[in-house]
Amino acid sequence: MRQQTNLNYNKANFRKILKAKRLSLDDTSRNLLNHRANLQLIELLNELLINHRNDYKIALFLAFNGEIDPYCTIQHLQKNNVSVYLPIIHPFSKKTLLFQKFDKNTTLIKNKFGILEPKLDLRAITPLDQINYFVMPLTGFDLKGNRLGMGGGFYDRTLCHLNDSAKLIGFAYSLQQLDTIPTEPWDISLGYIVTELNRYCFI
């Protein structure tokens, strides 16, 4: 059941509620929802990448703290020779991300938040404008393409100059849906949202 928007709730309150709902899933339910959601995501990416598969670069993420897990999609893309990139915290630019190629030889380390990310290798970093699609984690979403992130603003700061919401795909459980998300001028909107139940397009 989606969370009803209430004027008494701000973003911090919504994050607390939605994180608790996400963490409340038992292992059986989580595995089933992850499986269904990955099938939806793979189907969308197959449609988006048609005829250009070997030239595409897709950014995804490694699940943390109950987030939906896109690892099956990562494996599917790599098996089909699509280049996969993961976010890493920029070592010099505050609260921004770099995107580094991820393959079987990539060494993973925990960043300051305890999230696994590739060990920095400047040779494997790619410019943002060369990545075709960014599959992004989120805490909540609405059906206007608004995304509620973790609160650090890393994706907003990193992608604010991209000016192409068609490249941005939110990935979440359907239980993370809100009626409306309070927005700020710097919040980036999404071109797509994928859950275990549906694929939504906003472009």
Side-chain angles (χ1 to χ4, degrees):
M1 180 181 297
R2 70 173 182 266
Q3 178 68 42
Q4 298 294 318
T5 300
N6 185 308
L7 294 178
N8 294 323
Y9 284 96
N10 58 27
K11 287 186 176 181
N13 290 329
F14 280 129
R15 287 189 183 99
K16 182 178 180 179
I17 292 168
L18 293 172
K19 286 178 186 176
K21 290 176 71 173
R22 195 173 68 187
L23 288 168
S24 71
L25 292 170
D26 60 71
D27 288 344
T28 299
S29 298
R30 185 181 304 280
N31 290 337
L32 178 60
L33 296 181
N34 276 325
H35 175 72
R36 291 175 175 172
N38 275 275
L39 291 179
Q40 293 274 13
L41 181 58
I42 288 169
E43 187 172 346
L44 173 63
L45 291 174
N46 283 342
E47 293 174 4
L48 295 173
L49 306 187
I50 192 167
N51 298 327
H52 300 282
R53 187 176 305 277
N54 293 335
D55 300 327
Y56 271 61
K57 297 178 180 179
I58 311 297
L60 291 104
F61 62 94
L62 298 180
F64 175 72
N65 195 30
E67 289 175 337
I68 198 164
D69 190 350
Y71 200 75
C72 288
T73 300
I74 290 174
Q75 292 178 312
H76 170 82
L77 292 172
Q78 290 176 329
K79 190 178 298 184
N80 287 276
N81 299 313
V82 178
S83 296
V84 170
Y85 289 76
L86 295 179
I88 64 174
I89 295 176
H90 198 297
F92 309 120
S93 182
K94 186 177 180 180
K95 289 194 173 184
T96 58
L97 302 170
L98 297 170
F99 287 86
Q100 183 166 313
K101 190 169 185 180
F102 174 60
D103 57 33
K104 63 181 180 180
N105 298 315
T106 302
T107 298
L108 295 174
I109 60 172
K110 287 187 177 180
N111 63 26
K112 63 182 180 179
F113 300 109
I115 304 171
L116 284 174
E117 64 178 33
K119 184 177 181 181
L120 179 61
D121 180 355
L122 295 177
R123 299 167 298 177
I125 298 294
T126 196
L128 296 179
D129 60 4
Q130 291 185 17
I131 294 178
N132 300 96
Y133 293 99
F134 296 82
V135 179
M136 304 163 59
L138 47 82
T139 303
F141 69 92
D142 65 24
L143 295 187
K144 297 178 182 178
N146 296 315
R147 170 184 177 269
L148 180 67
M150 292 292 289
F154 284 85
Y155 277 94
D156 289 316
R157 288 183 180 86
T158 302
L159 302 177
C160 63
H161 301 299
L162 194 62
N163 295 321
D164 189 357
S165 63
K167 288 189 169 188
L168 308 182
I169 302 170
F171 192 45
Y173 299 113
S174 59
L175 59 81
Q176 295 171 254
Q177 182 183 337
L178 296 167
D179 284 339
T180 303
I181 290 177
T183 59
E184 306 292 346
W186 54 82
D187 291 335
I188 57 173
S189 59
L190 302 167
Y192 305 88
I193 290 174
V194 177
T195 75
E196 78 280 3
L197 297 179
N198 288 296
R199 294 175 291 151
Y200 303 98
C201 178
F202 306 104
I203 54 175

